[in-house]
Amino acid sequence: MRFNSALDSIKTYEAGKPIELVVREYGINKEDIVKLASNENPFGCSPKVKEAVAAIIDTMSLYPDDSMVKLKNTLSQKYNVSTSELIIGAGSDQVIEFAIHAKAHTGSPVLMNSVTFAMYEIYAKQVGAVIVRTASREHDMEEFYALYLEHKPSIIFLCTPNNPTGDAIHAEAMIDFIAKIDKETLVIVDGAYMEYARFKDSSYAIEPRELIGQFENVLFLGTFSKAYGLGGMRVGYGIAQASIIETLYKVRPPFNITTLSLEAASVALEDEAFVEACIMDNFKEMKRYEAFARSYEIDCIESYTNFVTLSLPETKNSSQIAQELLKKGMIIRDLSSYGLNAIRVTIGTSVQNDRFFKLIEPLL
Ligand SMILES: *Cc1c(COP(=O)(O)O)cnc(C)c1O
């Protein structure tokens, strides 16, 4: 059967290998598997979230509140934006989908970093858009600007901090760049790891209020899947001026967020102490990865996130290393599909990280 030929060049998204598959394929006990592959919070979510979700479990037979009033109010207070400046998606992934479907079409150039989140390309190709990428591994605003002048893209993606490399764009450099972009170009700032960057160095922090106050053509994205520990609940959000949000609403399916997910996200956002403790631990443990990289002379990109990207020496092959680790029940991410001889490792608990170091040492 023939399908939309725009789909022909799409490579299906490869998610971090699920624990269940490793149990089946390698016969390893579930308890012996450590997954450091999807940048989840190793401490899970706030215990208050679990209580709150359990308390409303009987509402499952009813459709969710499609106005999402509770979560929108909580987000609106936290970020000092109006509820008309918010849209909620089943993960921020879904908001990326809304934005691309609303803005791009066949032949639209979509500009992004050489190495970045794979879903931008997948959604863009679905509508027949043309992908334009920079050459530098890390976001280089001058290169972005040159490519902007050359291609006049309909959408520009800035992923800060970037996945899968962990580097971030200096806030000033980003603002200066956006100020030079015409108002017909939608600039999407993906802040999936912004909680980490804000904690590490405020000069890399992008505050959505300031961003959308200044620019009518910017959409900021955030998620509950990373720092808030709710990857399984699928909740993310977009913040932009109301006219952009109104347009995104035209491509949103009704009831796209479940009742339990809405509740979980609202409560998670209120327990700031929990998230902050997790982030503190993250950067404490990250020092161990940096020291490990130094001792093996491995290039470790400075990370503003909850993962590290370790570029391996030429004598080692990232796919082989990932495979060897998998056989021992350690799931990490091989970045060879991004054209890098590198692995991406989510910072786990200290026990999980001990395990990682112990398993990888003999392979280096
Ligand atoms: C994880 C991630 C997302 C979105 O995750 P959701 O679970 O869909 O909210 C978006 N962008 C980047 C860069 C990510 O790493």
Side-chain angles (χ1 to χ4, degrees), residues 111-113 132-136 138-153 155-158 169 173-183 185 187 217:
L111 175 59
M112 63 190 75
N113 201 51
V132 180
R133 288 182 188 274
T134 59
S136 329
E138 282 152 50
H139 283 72
D140 174 341
M141 291 293 98
E142 280 175 27
E143 200 189 352
F144 263 86
Y145 188 60
L147 288 171
Y148 158 75
L149 291 177
E150 184 183 343
H151 296 275
K152 288 283 166 197
I155 302 178
I156 301 175
F157 278 99
L158 300 175
I169 308 171
M174 200 184 90
I175 299 293
D176 290 349
F177 168 77
I178 299 175
K180 293 189 291 190
I181 304 302
D182 72 279
K183 300 305 170 217
T185 301
V187 180
N217 58 331

mmCIF file of all heavy atoms in Angstrom, residues 111-113 132-136 138-153 155-158 169 173-183 185 187 217:
data_model
loop_
_atom_site.group_PDB
_atom_site.id
_atom_site.type_symbol
_atom_site.label_atom_id
_atom_site.label_comp_id
_atom_site.label_asym_id
_atom_site.label_seq_id
_atom_site.Cartn_x
_atom_site.Cartn_y
_atom_site.Cartn_z
ATOM 1 N N LEU A 111 14.905 24.864 10.914
ATOM 2 C CA LEU A 111 16.319 24.947 11.291
ATOM 3 C C LEU A 111 16.549 24.403 12.702
ATOM 4 O O LEU A 111 15.823 24.756 13.634
ATOM 5 C CB LEU A 111 16.767 26.420 11.199
ATOM 6 C CG LEU A 111 18.178 26.792 11.652
ATOM 7 C CD1 LEU A 111 19.244 26.037 10.876
ATOM 8 C CD2 LEU A 111 18.390 28.302 11.522
ATOM 9 N N MET A 112 17.562 23.554 12.819
ATOM 10 C CA MET A 112 17.886 22.994 14.145
ATOM 11 C C MET A 112 19.372 22.696 14.238
ATOM 12 O O MET A 112 20.091 22.725 13.233
ATOM 13 C CB MET A 112 17.064 21.724 14.393
ATOM 14 C CG MET A 112 17.342 20.589 13.455
ATOM 15 S SD MET A 112 16.137 19.229 13.620
ATOM 16 C CE MET A 112 14.710 19.913 12.810
ATOM 17 N N ASN A 113 19.819 22.376 15.450
ATOM 18 C CA ASN A 113 21.235 22.087 15.659
ATOM 19 C C ASN A 113 21.624 20.757 15.018
ATOM 20 O O ASN A 113 20.786 19.869 14.869
ATOM 21 C CB ASN A 113 21.507 22.030 17.166
ATOM 22 C CG ASN A 113 22.959 22.238 17.491
ATOM 23 O OD1 ASN A 113 23.566 23.207 17.036
ATOM 24 N ND2 ASN A 113 23.547 21.319 18.248
ATOM 25 N N VAL A 132 17.008 21.737 8.005
ATOM 26 C CA VAL A 132 18.284 22.431 7.832
ATOM 27 C C VAL A 132 19.025 22.339 9.167
ATOM 28 O O VAL A 132 18.450 22.660 10.213
ATOM 29 C CB VAL A 132 18.072 23.926 7.473
ATOM 30 C CG1 VAL A 132 19.418 24.629 7.287
ATOM 31 C CG2 VAL A 132 17.194 24.070 6.234
ATOM 32 N N ARG A 133 20.252 21.869 9.117
ATOM 33 C CA ARG A 133 21.020 21.701 10.354
ATOM 34 C C ARG A 133 22.319 22.489 10.321
ATOM 35 O O ARG A 133 22.929 22.629 9.272
ATOM 36 C CB ARG A 133 21.390 20.224 10.562
ATOM 37 C CG ARG A 133 20.227 19.348 10.955
ATOM 38 C CD ARG A 133 20.734 17.918 11.168
ATOM 39 N NE ARG A 133 19.633 16.994 11.355
ATOM 40 C CZ ARG A 133 19.052 16.761 12.523
ATOM 41 N NH1 ARG A 133 19.474 17.366 13.611
ATOM 42 N NH2 ARG A 133 18.048 15.916 12.615
ATOM 43 N N THR A 134 22.738 22.924 11.496
ATOM 44 C CA THR A 134 24.045 23.553 11.620
ATOM 45 C C THR A 134 25.111 22.468 11.511
ATOM 46 O O THR A 134 24.784 21.274 11.490
ATOM 47 C CB THR A 134 24.193 24.219 13.002
ATOM 48 O OG1 THR A 134 24.026 23.207 13.994
ATOM 49 C CG2 THR A 134 23.164 25.317 13.213
ATOM 50 N N ALA A 135 26.378 22.874 11.474
ATOM 51 C CA ALA A 135 27.469 21.898 11.439
ATOM 52 C C ALA A 135 28.054 21.668 12.832
ATOM 53 O O ALA A 135 28.505 20.576 13.150
ATOM 54 C CB ALA A 135 28.565 22.366 10.495
ATOM 55 N N SER A 136 28.041 22.704 13.690
ATOM 56 C CA SER A 136 28.694 22.571 15.003
ATOM 57 C C SER A 136 27.930 21.628 15.916
ATOM 58 O O SER A 136 26.709 21.586 15.884
ATOM 59 C CB SER A 136 28.764 23.924 15.711
ATOM 60 O OG SER A 136 28.869 24.954 14.793
ATOM 61 N N GLU A 138 27.772 21.907 19.203
ATOM 62 C CA GLU A 138 27.049 22.688 20.199
ATOM 63 C C GLU A 138 26.398 23.893 19.528
ATOM 64 O O GLU A 138 26.887 24.359 18.495
ATOM 65 C CB GLU A 138 28.014 23.098 21.315
ATOM 66 C CG GLU A 138 28.250 21.894 22.247
ATOM 67 C CD GLU A 138 29.590 21.878 22.948
ATOM 68 O OE1 GLU A 138 29.939 22.905 23.530
ATOM 69 O OE2 GLU A 138 30.258 20.841 22.914
ATOM 70 N N HIS A 139 25.295 24.386 20.087
ATOM 71 C CA HIS A 139 24.577 25.510 19.474
ATOM 72 C C HIS A 139 25.514 26.708 19.289
ATOM 73 O O HIS A 139 26.073 27.207 20.267
ATOM 74 C CB HIS A 139 23.403 25.957 20.353
ATOM 75 C CG HIS A 139 22.198 25.060 20.269
ATOM 76 N ND1 HIS A 139 22.170 23.805 20.815
ATOM 77 C CD2 HIS A 139 20.977 25.250 19.706
ATOM 78 C CE1 HIS A 139 20.978 23.252 20.594
ATOM 79 N NE2 HIS A 139 20.231 24.101 19.924
ATOM 80 N N ASP A 140 25.665 27.141 18.053
ATOM 81 C CA ASP A 140 26.489 28.306 17.744
ATOM 82 C C ASP A 140 25.552 29.345 17.143
ATOM 83 O O ASP A 140 25.058 29.187 16.022
ATOM 84 C CB ASP A 140 27.587 27.870 16.749
ATOM 85 C CG ASP A 140 28.410 29.039 16.241
ATOM 86 O OD1 ASP A 140 27.959 30.203 16.347
ATOM 87 O OD2 ASP A 140 29.513 28.790 15.718
ATOM 88 N N MET A 141 25.274 30.408 17.897
ATOM 89 C CA MET A 141 24.256 31.372 17.478
ATOM 90 C C MET A 141 24.625 32.086 16.183
ATOM 91 O O MET A 141 23.758 32.470 15.414
ATOM 92 C CB MET A 141 23.982 32.374 18.607
ATOM 93 C CG MET A 141 23.266 31.771 19.817
ATOM 94 S SD MET A 141 21.566 31.245 19.457
ATOM 95 C CE MET A 141 21.769 29.537 19.196
ATOM 96 N N GLU A 142 25.935 32.255 15.956
ATOM 97 C CA GLU A 142 26.329 32.908 14.697
ATOM 98 C C GLU A 142 26.022 32.017 13.508
ATOM 99 O O GLU A 142 25.552 32.476 12.468
ATOM 100 C CB GLU A 142 27.822 33.265 14.728
ATOM 101 C CG GLU A 142 28.067 34.543 15.509
ATOM 102 C CD GLU A 142 29.536 34.877 15.660
ATOM 103 O OE1 GLU A 142 30.336 34.463 14.790
ATOM 104 O OE2 GLU A 142 29.867 35.519 16.665
ATOM 105 N N GLU A 143 26.285 30.751 13.683
ATOM 106 C CA GLU A 143 25.987 29.814 12.601
ATOM 107 C C GLU A 143 24.471 29.737 12.376
ATOM 108 O O GLU A 143 24.000 29.690 11.231
ATOM 109 C CB GLU A 143 26.559 28.442 12.960
ATOM 110 C CG GLU A 143 26.729 27.572 11.748
ATOM 111 C CD GLU A 143 27.079 26.135 12.086
ATOM 112 O OE1 GLU A 143 27.337 25.817 13.265
ATOM 113 O OE2 GLU A 143 27.065 25.335 11.145
ATOM 114 N N PHE A 144 23.724 29.730 13.464
ATOM 115 C CA PHE A 144 22.258 29.727 13.345
ATOM 116 C C PHE A 144 21.802 30.954 12.547
ATOM 117 O O PHE A 144 20.945 30.860 11.681
ATOM 118 C CB PHE A 144 21.604 29.727 14.736
ATOM 119 C CG PHE A 144 21.200 28.356 15.214
ATOM 120 C CD1 PHE A 144 22.108 27.537 15.880
ATOM 121 C CD2 PHE A 144 19.911 27.880 15.020
ATOM 122 C CE1 PHE A 144 21.734 26.267 16.322
ATOM 123 C CE2 PHE A 144 19.531 26.615 15.457
ATOM 124 C CZ PHE A 144 20.454 25.812 16.111
ATOM 125 N N TYR A 145 22.416 32.086 12.862
ATOM 126 C CA TYR A 145 21.979 33.319 12.206
ATOM 127 C C TYR A 145 22.299 33.284 10.706
ATOM 128 O O TYR A 145 21.469 33.672 9.872
ATOM 129 C CB TYR A 145 22.620 34.548 12.870
ATOM 130 C CG TYR A 145 22.032 35.841 12.346
ATOM 131 C CD1 TYR A 145 20.660 36.106 12.479
ATOM 132 C CD2 TYR A 145 22.826 36.764 11.678
ATOM 133 C CE1 TYR A 145 20.106 37.277 11.967
ATOM 134 C CE2 TYR A 145 22.275 37.947 11.174
ATOM 135 C CZ TYR A 145 20.919 38.193 11.325
ATOM 136 O OH TYR A 145 20.364 39.337 10.820
ATOM 137 N N ALA A 146 23.483 32.794 10.364
ATOM 138 C CA ALA A 146 23.858 32.699 8.940
ATOM 139 C C ALA A 146 22.874 31.781 8.203
ATOM 140 O O ALA A 146 22.415 32.104 7.100
ATOM 141 C CB ALA A 146 25.286 32.180 8.815
ATOM 142 N N LEU A 147 22.527 30.656 8.812
ATOM 143 C CA LEU A 147 21.603 29.726 8.159
ATOM 144 C C LEU A 147 20.184 30.302 8.108
ATOM 145 O O LEU A 147 19.426 30.051 7.173
ATOM 146 C CB LEU A 147 21.604 28.373 8.875
ATOM 147 C CG LEU A 147 22.884 27.556 8.652
ATOM 148 C CD1 LEU A 147 22.917 26.337 9.563
ATOM 149 C CD2 LEU A 147 22.992 27.112 7.185
ATOM 150 N N TYR A 148 19.842 31.087 9.108
ATOM 151 C CA TYR A 148 18.545 31.772 9.105
ATOM 152 C C TYR A 148 18.463 32.716 7.898
ATOM 153 O O TYR A 148 17.484 32.718 7.148
ATOM 154 C CB TYR A 148 18.363 32.537 10.420
ATOM 155 C CG TYR A 148 17.364 33.664 10.331
ATOM 156 C CD1 TYR A 148 15.997 33.408 10.303
ATOM 157 C CD2 TYR A 148 17.796 34.994 10.238
ATOM 158 C CE1 TYR A 148 15.083 34.450 10.183
ATOM 159 C CE2 TYR A 148 16.899 36.029 10.126
ATOM 160 C CZ TYR A 148 15.532 35.754 10.098
ATOM 161 O OH TYR A 148 14.643 36.778 9.969
ATOM 162 N N LEU A 149 19.537 33.505 7.689
ATOM 163 C CA LEU A 149 19.542 34.456 6.558
ATOM 164 C C LEU A 149 19.466 33.703 5.223
ATOM 165 O O LEU A 149 18.771 34.120 4.307
ATOM 166 C CB LEU A 149 20.809 35.321 6.592
ATOM 167 C CG LEU A 149 20.905 36.333 7.731
ATOM 168 C CD1 LEU A 149 22.241 37.067 7.682
ATOM 169 C CD2 LEU A 149 19.742 37.334 7.702
ATOM 170 N N GLU A 150 20.162 32.581 5.179
ATOM 171 C CA GLU A 150 20.215 31.836 3.925
ATOM 172 C C GLU A 150 18.884 31.130 3.608
ATOM 173 O O GLU A 150 18.442 31.126 2.470
ATOM 174 C CB GLU A 150 21.353 30.807 4.014
ATOM 175 C CG GLU A 150 21.585 30.034 2.728
ATOM 176 C CD GLU A 150 22.680 28.968 2.876
ATOM 177 O OE1 GLU A 150 23.478 29.038 3.844
ATOM 178 O OE2 GLU A 150 22.713 28.061 2.023
ATOM 179 N N HIS A 151 18.250 30.550 4.613
ATOM 180 C CA HIS A 151 17.083 29.685 4.351
ATOM 181 C C HIS A 151 15.740 30.293 4.722
ATOM 182 O O HIS A 151 14.710 29.748 4.368
ATOM 183 C CB HIS A 151 17.248 28.350 5.080
ATOM 184 C CG HIS A 151 18.409 27.544 4.602
ATOM 185 N ND1 HIS A 151 18.334 26.712 3.514
ATOM 186 C CD2 HIS A 151 19.699 27.479 5.032
ATOM 187 C CE1 HIS A 151 19.512 26.146 3.298
ATOM 188 N NE2 HIS A 151 20.359 26.596 4.221
ATOM 189 N N LYS A 152 15.707 31.338 5.482
ATOM 190 C CA LYS A 152 14.447 31.922 5.974
ATOM 191 C C LYS A 152 13.492 30.831 6.488
ATOM 192 O O LYS A 152 12.417 30.611 5.956
ATOM 193 C CB LYS A 152 13.767 32.723 4.841
ATOM 194 C CG LYS A 152 14.489 34.019 4.508
ATOM 195 C CD LYS A 152 14.190 35.097 5.551
ATOM 196 C CE LYS A 152 15.160 36.264 5.422
ATOM 197 N NZ LYS A 152 15.212 37.123 6.558
ATOM 198 N N PRO A 153 13.908 30.131 7.530
ATOM 199 C CA PRO A 153 13.109 29.001 8.019
ATOM 200 C C PRO A 153 11.749 29.423 8.568
ATOM 201 O O PRO A 153 11.586 30.579 8.985
ATOM 202 C CB PRO A 153 13.974 28.420 9.139
ATOM 203 C CG PRO A 153 14.881 29.518 9.558
ATOM 204 C CD PRO A 153 15.115 30.352 8.345
ATOM 205 N N ILE A 155 10.431 27.622 11.070
ATOM 206 C CA ILE A 155 10.609 27.322 12.500
ATOM 207 C C ILE A 155 12.101 27.174 12.791
ATOM 208 O O ILE A 155 12.845 26.595 12.004
ATOM 209 C CB ILE A 155 9.906 25.999 12.907
ATOM 210 C CG1 ILE A 155 8.411 26.053 12.598
ATOM 211 C CG2 ILE A 155 10.145 25.673 14.383
ATOM 212 C CD1 ILE A 155 7.663 24.769 12.919
ATOM 213 N N ILE A 156 12.517 27.704 13.947
ATOM 214 C CA ILE A 156 13.879 27.467 14.446
ATOM 215 C C ILE A 156 13.755 26.781 15.803
ATOM 216 O O ILE A 156 13.027 27.265 16.681
ATOM 217 C CB ILE A 156 14.659 28.792 14.631
ATOM 218 C CG1 ILE A 156 14.753 29.549 13.303
ATOM 219 C CG2 ILE A 156 16.055 28.529 15.207
ATOM 220 C CD1 ILE A 156 15.399 30.939 13.427
ATOM 221 N N PHE A 157 14.438 25.664 15.969
ATOM 222 C CA PHE A 157 14.469 24.983 17.261
ATOM 223 C C PHE A 157 15.753 25.321 18.009
ATOM 224 O O PHE A 157 16.849 25.162 17.460
ATOM 225 C CB PHE A 157 14.418 23.461 17.073
ATOM 226 C CG PHE A 157 13.035 22.933 16.870
ATOM 227 C CD1 PHE A 157 12.562 22.655 15.598
ATOM 228 C CD2 PHE A 157 12.195 22.733 17.956
ATOM 229 C CE1 PHE A 157 11.274 22.175 15.410
ATOM 230 C CE2 PHE A 157 10.907 22.255 17.786
ATOM 231 C CZ PHE A 157 10.446 21.976 16.510
ATOM 232 N N LEU A 158 15.614 25.772 19.237
ATOM 233 C CA LEU A 158 16.765 25.953 20.121
ATOM 234 C C LEU A 158 16.524 25.048 21.326
ATOM 235 O O LEU A 158 15.544 25.231 22.054
ATOM 236 C CB LEU A 158 16.879 27.412 20.568
ATOM 237 C CG LEU A 158 17.057 28.455 19.451
ATOM 238 C CD1 LEU A 158 17.041 29.867 20.031
ATOM 239 C CD2 LEU A 158 18.345 28.213 18.660
ATOM 240 N N ILE A 169 22.757 27.009 25.944
ATOM 241 C CA ILE A 169 23.008 28.283 25.268
ATOM 242 C C ILE A 169 22.981 29.385 26.315
ATOM 243 O O ILE A 169 22.053 29.435 27.135
ATOM 244 C CB ILE A 169 21.918 28.578 24.199
ATOM 245 C CG1 ILE A 169 21.754 27.393 23.247
ATOM 246 C CG2 ILE A 169 22.245 29.862 23.435
ATOM 247 C CD1 ILE A 169 20.548 27.514 22.310
ATOM 248 N N ALA A 173 23.131 35.398 24.808
ATOM 249 C CA ALA A 173 23.397 35.099 23.393
ATOM 250 C C ALA A 173 22.101 34.680 22.694
ATOM 251 O O ALA A 173 21.850 35.047 21.548
ATOM 252 C CB ALA A 173 24.444 33.998 23.283
ATOM 253 N N MET A 174 21.275 33.940 23.419
ATOM 254 C CA MET A 174 20.031 33.485 22.821
ATOM 255 C C MET A 174 19.063 34.638 22.598
ATOM 256 O O MET A 174 18.437 34.749 21.546
ATOM 257 C CB MET A 174 19.394 32.425 23.699
ATOM 258 C CG MET A 174 18.403 31.607 22.923
ATOM 259 S SD MET A 174 17.557 30.446 23.972
ATOM 260 C CE MET A 174 16.231 31.481 24.436
ATOM 261 N N ILE A 175 18.950 35.511 23.584
ATOM 262 C CA ILE A 175 18.036 36.653 23.473
ATOM 263 C C ILE A 175 18.487 37.567 22.326
ATOM 264 O O ILE A 175 17.675 38.013 21.512
ATOM 265 C CB ILE A 175 17.988 37.438 24.811
ATOM 266 C CG1 ILE A 175 17.482 36.544 25.951
ATOM 267 C CG2 ILE A 175 17.155 38.720 24.679
ATOM 268 C CD1 ILE A 175 16.050 36.100 25.862
ATOM 269 N N ASP A 176 19.814 37.829 22.246
ATOM 270 C CA ASP A 176 20.335 38.657 21.152
ATOM 271 C C ASP A 176 19.997 38.038 19.801
ATOM 272 O O ASP A 176 19.653 38.738 18.848
ATOM 273 C CB ASP A 176 21.870 38.801 21.254
ATOM 274 C CG ASP A 176 22.266 39.662 22.445
ATOM 275 O OD1 ASP A 176 21.375 40.296 23.049
ATOM 276 O OD2 ASP A 176 23.467 39.686 22.780
ATOM 277 N N PHE A 177 20.106 36.730 19.720
ATOM 278 C CA PHE A 177 19.794 36.033 18.466
ATOM 279 C C PHE A 177 18.310 36.201 18.123
ATOM 280 O O PHE A 177 17.959 36.598 17.011
ATOM 281 C CB PHE A 177 20.162 34.552 18.602
ATOM 282 C CG PHE A 177 19.632 33.691 17.488
ATOM 283 C CD1 PHE A 177 20.254 33.705 16.239
ATOM 284 C CD2 PHE A 177 18.518 32.885 17.671
ATOM 285 C CE1 PHE A 177 19.760 32.921 15.194
ATOM 286 C CE2 PHE A 177 18.023 32.089 16.634
ATOM 287 C CZ PHE A 177 18.643 32.114 15.402
ATOM 288 N N ILE A 178 17.442 35.911 19.075
ATOM 289 C CA ILE A 178 15.997 35.954 18.781
ATOM 290 C C ILE A 178 15.578 37.372 18.368
ATOM 291 O O ILE A 178 14.718 37.551 17.503
ATOM 292 C CB ILE A 178 15.157 35.447 19.982
ATOM 293 C CG1 ILE A 178 15.518 33.991 20.294
ATOM 294 C CG2 ILE A 178 13.656 35.554 19.683
ATOM 295 C CD1 ILE A 178 14.838 33.425 21.526
ATOM 296 N N ALA A 179 16.232 38.375 18.953
ATOM 297 C CA ALA A 179 15.885 39.765 18.623
ATOM 298 C C ALA A 179 16.118 40.078 17.146
ATOM 299 O O ALA A 179 15.504 40.989 16.601
ATOM 300 C CB ALA A 179 16.693 40.710 19.510
ATOM 301 N N LYS A 180 16.998 39.308 16.501
ATOM 302 C CA LYS A 180 17.316 39.578 15.084
ATOM 303 C C LYS A 180 16.419 38.804 14.119
ATOM 304 O O LYS A 180 16.538 38.944 12.908
ATOM 305 C CB LYS A 180 18.786 39.190 14.810
ATOM 306 C CG LYS A 180 19.789 40.094 15.543
ATOM 307 C CD LYS A 180 21.223 39.827 15.096
ATOM 308 C CE LYS A 180 21.717 38.462 15.550
ATOM 309 N NZ LYS A 180 23.144 38.243 15.364
ATOM 310 N N ILE A 181 15.533 37.958 14.654
ATOM 311 C CA ILE A 181 14.727 37.071 13.809
ATOM 312 C C ILE A 181 13.397 37.749 13.488
ATOM 313 O O ILE A 181 12.757 38.318 14.373
ATOM 314 C CB ILE A 181 14.498 35.719 14.549
ATOM 315 C CG1 ILE A 181 15.835 35.079 14.930
ATOM 316 C CG2 ILE A 181 13.638 34.767 13.727
ATOM 317 C CD1 ILE A 181 16.772 34.803 13.783
ATOM 318 N N ASP A 182 12.953 37.634 12.248
ATOM 319 C CA ASP A 182 11.681 38.275 11.872
ATOM 320 C C ASP A 182 10.504 37.593 12.569
ATOM 321 O O ASP A 182 10.595 36.428 12.956
ATOM 322 C CB ASP A 182 11.502 38.229 10.356
ATOM 323 C CG ASP A 182 11.197 36.818 9.880
ATOM 324 O OD1 ASP A 182 12.146 36.015 9.735
ATOM 325 O OD2 ASP A 182 10.012 36.487 9.701
ATOM 326 N N LYS A 183 9.399 38.328 12.703
ATOM 327 C CA LYS A 183 8.278 37.850 13.514
ATOM 328 C C LYS A 183 7.453 36.754 12.842
ATOM 329 O O LYS A 183 6.550 36.180 13.443
ATOM 330 C CB LYS A 183 7.362 39.030 13.893
ATOM 331 C CG LYS A 183 8.070 40.114 14.696
ATOM 332 C CD LYS A 183 8.728 39.563 15.956
ATOM 333 C CE LYS A 183 9.622 40.584 16.628
ATOM 334 N NZ LYS A 183 10.849 39.981 17.204
ATOM 335 N N THR A 185 8.872 34.050 11.751
ATOM 336 C CA THR A 185 9.559 32.793 12.076
ATOM 337 C C THR A 185 9.234 32.398 13.514
ATOM 338 O O THR A 185 9.406 33.200 14.431
ATOM 339 C CB THR A 185 11.086 32.965 11.916
ATOM 340 O OG1 THR A 185 11.349 33.352 10.568
ATOM 341 C CG2 THR A 185 11.840 31.695 12.241
ATOM 342 N N VAL A 187 10.130 30.682 16.787
ATOM 343 C CA VAL A 187 11.317 30.177 17.486
ATOM 344 C C VAL A 187 10.833 29.323 18.658
ATOM 345 O O VAL A 187 10.122 29.814 19.540
ATOM 346 C CB VAL A 187 12.206 31.330 17.996
ATOM 347 C CG1 VAL A 187 13.442 30.774 18.714
ATOM 348 C CG2 VAL A 187 12.620 32.233 16.844
ATOM 349 N N ASN A 217 6.964 35.849 18.802
ATOM 350 C CA ASN A 217 7.126 34.685 17.925
ATOM 351 C C ASN A 217 7.862 33.534 18.597
ATOM 352 O O ASN A 217 8.475 32.709 17.930
ATOM 353 C CB ASN A 217 7.885 35.102 16.649
ATOM 354 C CG ASN A 217 9.253 35.711 16.953
ATOM 355 O OD1 ASN A 217 9.447 36.303 18.009
ATOM 356 N ND2 ASN A 217 10.198 35.545 16.039
#
